[in-house]
Structures are given as C-alpha cells and as structure tokens.
Amino acid sequence: MKLTRTTLLAAALIGANAFLFTAPAQAADKVCKLEISGNDLMQYDKKELSVSKDCTTVELTLKHTGKLPASTMGHNWVLTKQADFQAVANDGLGAGLANNYIKPGDKRVIAHTKVVGGGESTSVKFSTSALKPGEAYEYFCSFPGHSALMKGTFKFG
Ligand code: CO
C-alpha cells in the first residue's frame, strides 16, 4: 500500500483527536456560596436567593443576628419546591426542635440547616443535581409560626 499525503494527514488528525479526548478533562466542581440572616423580629434579610445553573454545589450559611434562644426564636433554612412549601411547613410543626421542625425522612425537603438561636450560625452544603432550571423553589424557616413571614424565592437557572 502506498501512503499518500492524504493518508498521513488523516492519521495525524486522528492522532490529534485521540490526544484531545484522552487529555484530562475534569468537570470542575463549582461551589457557590450564599448567605442569609434571621433576626429576633422573625425576619430573614433576603426575600430572594439565586444560584446560577453552572454551580454544582451550593453552600448556604444562615446567621441568627438576634439574641433570643432557639427554643423561642429559632431559625433554620429549608428548601423545597414552591408547590411543596406549605405542606412541608405544616408537617414540620409537630416534629419538634430535636428534628429541626422537619418531619423525619421528608423527601420533599431538598436541603435544610439545623435550627439556631441568637448569635449562632450554621451552614449546609448540597448538590444542585436535584434542581431544575426554571422550576419554582421556596425557602423558609420551619420553626412553628415563622414561615408566614420567613420565606423567600429561590431561583436556579
Ligand atoms: Co425562624
């Protein structure tokens, strides 16, 4: 067989492609950080949080800027689909502080922090793989009586 210029060129191109495909292609893990605080007046400082869809992990920090204890003015941060928010909040009422006012094993909860009191902070890390761009999400505090005021829109996309 006679090797033509074309054959050699093709071989060179295949070789180049093989190199490209085997070169280390690490999917970068992009951690996006969010912060929110809650106070003694039963308020979060933000009505909306948003995360870009190129974030693979979200790390949310909740700071309680008040002075009251977790037993009387506890705050947490719970993320659900907007459609699930009210039912998850209702089901969490009887779960108690020990369960962070979340019904144990509640699959509708996408992520949540524990309940903290004044001067404390807490954080949660979660994968965005459970989130769909364009879906409506809600975050709220599941401490009894708080979700009417302590809630906001979570945007992913
Ligand atoms: Co609260």
Side-chain angles (χ1 to χ4, degrees):
M1 188 178 116
K2 190 176 152 196
L3 286 174
T4 62
R5 261 180 92 125
T6 315
T7 318
L8 287 170
L9 185 61
L13 284 172
I14 289 163
N17 280 338
F19 174 77
L20 284 176
F21 286 119
T22 54
Q26 289 165 346
D29 185 35
K30 187 174 177 190
V31 181
C32 299
K33 296 185 176 185
L34 297 174
E35 284 185 7
I36 190 165
S37 65
N39 62 21
D40 281 345
L41 298 173
M42 214 191 288
Q43 294 162 331
Y44 281 134
D45 68 335
K46 287 171 185 154
K47 300 249 182 247
E48 185 180 309
L49 291 170
S50 50
V51 164
S52 163
K53 66 178 189 296
D54 60 355
C55 300
T56 54
T57 301
V58 174
E59 183 177 354
L60 176 125
T61 299
L62 166 69
K63 190 176 180 188
H64 191 319
T65 56
K67 292 196 164 107
L68 295 170
S71 55
T72 56
M73 186 52 73
H75 298 318
N76 64 357
W77 185 89
V78 183
L79 180 66
T80 65
K81 283 184 186 172
Q82 210 164 58
D84 293 332
F85 149 62
Q86 203 59 63
V88 171
N90 289 343
D91 289 350
L93 294 176
L97 183 56
N99 290 309
N100 298 297
Y101 295 104
I102 292 167
K103 186 177 82 174
D106 194 332
K107 296 271 188 286
R108 297 165 297 183
V109 173
I110 298 164
H112 75 91
T113 69
K114 64 177 185 173
V115 173
V116 291
E120 297 177 320
S121 69
T122 184
S123 63
V124 62
K125 251 188 186 183
F126 59 97
S127 166
T128 59
S129 60
L131 303 175
K132 282 185 217 141
E135 173 83 54
Y137 297 98
E138 190 91 3
Y139 63 84
F140 60 97
C141 174
S142 67
F143 191 96
H146 288 202
S147 66
L149 281 175
M150 298 187 76
K151 62 181 176 179
T153 305
F154 185 92
K155 289 182 175 169
F156 179 68

